[in-house]
Amino acid sequence: METPTRQIRQNRGTGEEQAGGEPIITVKGLAAGYGKDTVIENVSFEVRRGEIFVILGVSGCGKSTLLKNMMGLYRPLAGKVIIGGVDINAAGKEEIKKIRLNMGVLFQSAALFGSMTIGENISLVLKEYLDLPDETIDLIVRMKLAMVDLAGYGNHLPSEISGGMKIRAGFARAMALDPSVLFLDEPSAGLDPVTAAEIDILIKSINAGMGTTMVIITQELESIFNIATRGILLDKGEKGIIAEGDPRELKENSSDPRVTSFFNRKPMGQKKVGT
């Protein structure tokens, strides 16, 4: 009998087939913040099925706040987040459960449970949402570990593996249910350049092979230009989006000094050396 994860996988094409397709996430007029403090206002954009979509901006511009609202962890002050045609803040319990079955999250620094083995971290998700025999869960765990090049590490504790391996383990946990949408918060933060490049390759491989739509917060410019299909750039002063599109095109063609400053790692108003 086919497992639910395999059925989900068969219903999706590759990222190449799906990218540029219909919207899978729609954000409309979103305002979000904490208490009376508004961090972002009137933010609207779409994430298309199968693409790697990046949320960019300097520290404090609202990237994490936006992501948490998109995942349904916080309720927006105004506006809507629609995933798969469902307003996640107006949905009932059963609708929310279905949405979360098709949503994976890779938190910053992986956020693995330190007292659990890598295998137990992954199986926890499966046991929470699926009613499967232990043998089937063990098989899926091994498959997910192999997918992220961690075969044989299921019995290791997070403290026994490197930072890059922890990110891979977090990736395996986030992909446990073969979600249609994967949210990633700074997946390359704190990693050395070689390990960060390996994570980029893993992201692109899963997107291309499984058609998983990915929404990623990152400030790593090399990763941005390497993996992103499209994205938005938030600005702290504007409390919203100042640019949207392919980051490579934004870097080359934008006339907004805030955009060129970000993509060229050049503080606003800085003069060229020798001028």
Side-chain angles (χ1 to χ4, degrees):
M1 182 177 67
E2 293 182 339
T3 66
T5 52
R6 183 176 177 185
Q7 291 171 351
I8 293 170
R9 200 161 51 239
Q10 288 179 333
N11 289 334
R12 299 208 306 267
T14 65
E16 186 175 349
E17 291 170 342
Q18 292 187 5
E22 77 279 9
I24 190 170
I25 303 174
T26 301
V27 177
K28 291 184 177 180
L30 190 75
Y34 308 94
K36 295 182 179 180
D37 297 326
T38 303
V39 179
I40 53 175
E41 298 175 343
N42 197 29
V43 168
S44 299
F45 61 94
E46 294 178 339
V47 179
R48 300 165 189 161
R49 188 177 298 275
E51 71 179 348
I52 300 176
F53 188 92
V54 291
I55 299 175
L56 311 171
V58 300
S59 297
C61 70
K63 299 186 300 297
S64 294
T65 300
L66 174 57
L67 193 72
K68 289 172 183 175
N69 276 264
M70 291 175 71
M71 292 189 293
L73 297 179
Y74 296 144
R75 293 185 67 87
L77 302 176
K80 297 180 180 180
V81 176
I82 299 169
I83 299 180
V86 178
D87 182 346
I88 64 172
N89 293 296
K93 289 183 178 180
E94 288 303 312
E95 285 181 308
I96 287 295
K97 183 177 180 180
K98 289 179 181 177
I99 291 171
R100 287 177 176 164
L101 276 168
N102 280 302
M103 180 190 298
V105 182
L106 174 58
F107 295 100
Q108 191 170 7
S109 302
L112 299 169
F113 294 104
S115 61
M116 296 175 132
T117 66
I118 302 305
E120 289 170 342
N121 268 273
I122 300 168
S123 65
L124 185 66
V125 178
L126 297 166
K127 290 176 180 178
E128 180 178 358
Y129 287 100
L130 303 177
D131 183 16
L132 295 173
D134 289 342
E135 295 81 4
T136 304
I137 289 177
D138 290 342
L139 175 60
I140 295 173
V141 168
R142 291 198 300 272
M143 290 171 60
K144 297 308 172 185
L145 288 171
M147 179 183 70
V148 299
D149 294 329
L150 285 180
Y153 282 89
N155 291 323
H156 286 63
L157 291 170
S159 60
E160 298 173 333
I161 59 177
S162 68
M165 293 170 76
K166 288 178 184 176
I167 297 298
R168 289 179 177 273
F171 216 124
R173 183 178 63 182
M175 291 297 296
L177 298 172
D178 283 351
S180 298
V181 179
L182 182 62
F183 295 97
L184 301 94
D185 187 3
E186 298 279 6
S188 301
L191 300 180
D192 64 82
V194 173
T195 304
E198 291 173 348
I199 298 301
D200 287 349
I201 292 170
L202 178 62
I203 289 171
K204 293 174 69 176
S205 174
I206 290 176
N207 169 260
M210 301 183 67
T212 308
T213 304
M214 299 187 180
V215 180
I216 305 175
I217 289 180
T218 182
Q219 298 193 70
E220 303 291 333
L221 285 178
E222 191 167 350
S223 291
I224 291 166
F225 298 131
N226 187 33
I227 66 176
T229 307
R230 208 165 50 88
I232 54 173
L233 178 62
L234 301 178
D235 180 74
K236 187 175 182 179
E238 291 287 340
K239 293 189 176 182
I241 299 170
I242 58 171
E244 179 176 354
D246 184 328
R248 291 161 288 267
E249 295 180 2
L250 293 176
K251 178 184 179 182
E252 297 297 328
N253 302 322
S254 178
S255 59
D256 189 326
R258 297 168 298 179
V259 178
T260 55
S261 172
F262 179 85
F263 284 116
N264 290 283
R265 297 183 67 185
K266 181 181 176 182
M268 291 283 291
Q270 185 185 51
K271 295 182 179 180
K272 292 182 179 179
V273 176
T275 61

